[in-house]
Amino acid sequence: MKFRSVSFPLSAILSIATVILFFAVGMNFGIDFKGGTLVELQAKGTQANISDVRERSNNLGFGSVEVAEFGSPRELLLRIELQVAPTVAEQERAQQNVVTKLREAFGAEYEFRRVEVVGPRVSGELVQSGAIGVIVAVIGVLLYLWFRFEWQFAVGAVIATLHDIVLTIGFFLVMQLTFDMTSIAVVLTILGYSLNDTVVIYDRIREMLRKYKKLSLYQVLDISVNATLSRTVITATTTFLAMTAMAIFGGEVLRSFSLAMLFGIVIGTYSSIFIAAPVLIYLGLKTGGGDPARGEQAAEAKAVAAPVKA
């Protein structure tokens, strides 16, 4: 538990940096949230001409058009920004007009594999649904843990969960990965993964509190974390290897998802050990061993004295 003197300030600094980046840099929102048109093209020939597609699509008058290779050299991905119009209905008609003009321009040379059009009304609803989903999940966690354990465990788990969500958003900010509905799924998956680890450790802490009533909370937390450490590391390693394979071989479609999941596995494991457990010391969790600080001093004194006795 002595590592909390490093982990708490480190997490606080990273969380504050995320908030600053959020307002200073901003998220790279996908068309799910900001609206627009996404088109996947596949060349009928042997290779797509990316510079030609970029020049011709920019000349169509849709504003800035992002063109990128997608998968094989024959495939391209076009992102067209939301078209500006006085009313929502006119904006939606303008978005449909984008697809019509693209088909006229590239239909002879390219096959349209995928077309996604998200209007301003739908993007607003998706933002609202995503935010509600995350909030409901966090409240559900709080209520479940409050019912299952003591209130200190519920608050500790929510702190660790919010820590993971904030740092995952920070990862999206630093890497400028596209944040869309798939990213909401990533956040909820990381939330569930991290919570599972936290509940395992909390369950062991509760068991040790009943077993070792004369030990201090500091000592009980150390024993509990050490008892679950091998399980936590093995689970994280196997999941990390599976996500690594997905990141390498999953292609562009799964790139944001797999990279964010890799980060989430690391940060979720870190928070379970270095945030969720030691935060209980500050939440007033009682044990029969007395003051946690005195217990920590006693354990340190014992550790120093042990080599002398040997």
Side-chain angles (χ1 to χ4, degrees), residues 27-39:
M27 300 286 287
N28 178 21
F29 288 112
I31 65 168
D32 291 350
F33 292 150
K34 66 180 182 183
T37 304
L38 181 71
V39 178

Side-chain angles (χ1 to χ4, degrees), residues 45-73:
T46 55
Q47 186 165 3
N49 189 335
I50 186 170
S51 58
D52 176 63
V53 171
R54 182 179 290 116
E55 182 180 353
R56 288 163 62 188
S57 55
N58 280 326
N59 290 336
L60 292 174
F62 303 141
S64 176
V65 179
E66 296 179 21
V67 183
E69 282 192 357
F70 179 79
S72 72

Side-chain angles (χ1 to χ4, degrees), residues 37-268:
T37 304
L38 181 71
V39 178
E40 182 184 333
L41 300 178
Q42 185 179 60
K44 295 178 180 177
T46 55
Q47 186 165 3
N49 189 335
I50 186 170
S51 58
D52 176 63
V53 171
R54 182 179 290 116
E55 182 180 353
R56 288 163 62 188
S57 55
N58 280 326
N59 290 336
L60 292 174
F62 303 141
S64 176
V65 179
E66 296 179 21
V67 183
E69 282 192 357
F70 179 79
S72 72
R74 296 176 60 203
E75 295 172 316
L76 295 176
L77 195 67
L78 279 68
R79 290 190 178 89
I80 298 96
E81 63 184 21
L82 185 67
Q83 302 301 294
V84 179
T87 64
V88 173
E90 290 179 15
Q91 280 184 337
E92 291 176 346
R93 280 197 296 274
Q95 293 295 108
Q96 295 298 332
N97 189 43
V98 168
V99 179
T100 303
K101 286 190 175 180
L102 286 174
R103 288 188 183 280
E104 292 173 355
F106 301 109
E109 305 156 63
Y110 293 89
E111 181 184 347
F112 282 66
R113 303 291 302 275
R114 179 166 58 127
V115 177
E116 293 180 11
V117 179
V118 180
R121 189 182 306 165
V122 176
S123 63
E125 291 173 357
L126 290 175
V127 171
Q128 186 179 21
S129 300
I132 290 174
V134 174
I135 292 171
V136 168
V138 173
I139 292 174
V141 168
L142 177 64
L143 293 177
Y144 167 73
L145 290 175
W146 204 318
F147 173 76
R148 183 79 169 75
F149 301 95
E150 297 177 45
W151 69 267
Q152 290 94 340
F153 291 95
V155 175
V158 169
I159 290 173
T161 301
L162 292 177
H163 165 274
D164 297 343
I165 293 174
V166 169
L167 293 194
T168 301
I169 291 174
F171 179 75
F172 275 94
L173 284 164
V174 172
M175 299 294 290
Q176 281 297 295
L177 299 175
T178 303
F179 194 87
D180 50 20
M181 288 305 292
T182 305
S183 307
I184 294 293
V186 171
V187 171
L188 292 175
T189 305
I190 292 171
L191 188 153
Y193 178 86
S194 172
L195 182 64
N196 181 53
D197 254 2
T198 302
V199 168
V200 168
I201 293 175
Y202 278 1
D203 199 47
R204 186 56 61 94
I205 291 172
R206 187 176 59 169
E207 179 186 335
M208 294 299 174
L209 283 172
R210 292 171 180 166
K211 188 175 181 180
Y212 300 108
K213 295 183 179 179
K214 293 185 178 179
L215 294 182
S216 69
L217 179 59
Y218 170 83
Q219 292 166 315
V220 170
L221 293 179
D222 265 349
I223 293 171
S224 304
V225 170
N226 287 333
T228 56
L229 190 60
S230 61
R231 177 261 175 206
T232 300
V233 171
I234 290 171
T235 304
T237 303
T238 52
T239 313
F240 191 89
L241 290 175
M243 284 297 115
T244 301
M246 186 180 289
I248 295 173
F249 302 110
E252 187 67 24
V253 176
L254 297 175
R255 182 171 173 268
S256 295
F257 178 87
S258 50
L259 289 179
M261 279 299 300
L262 285 173
F263 177 80
I265 291 166
V266 174
I267 208 68

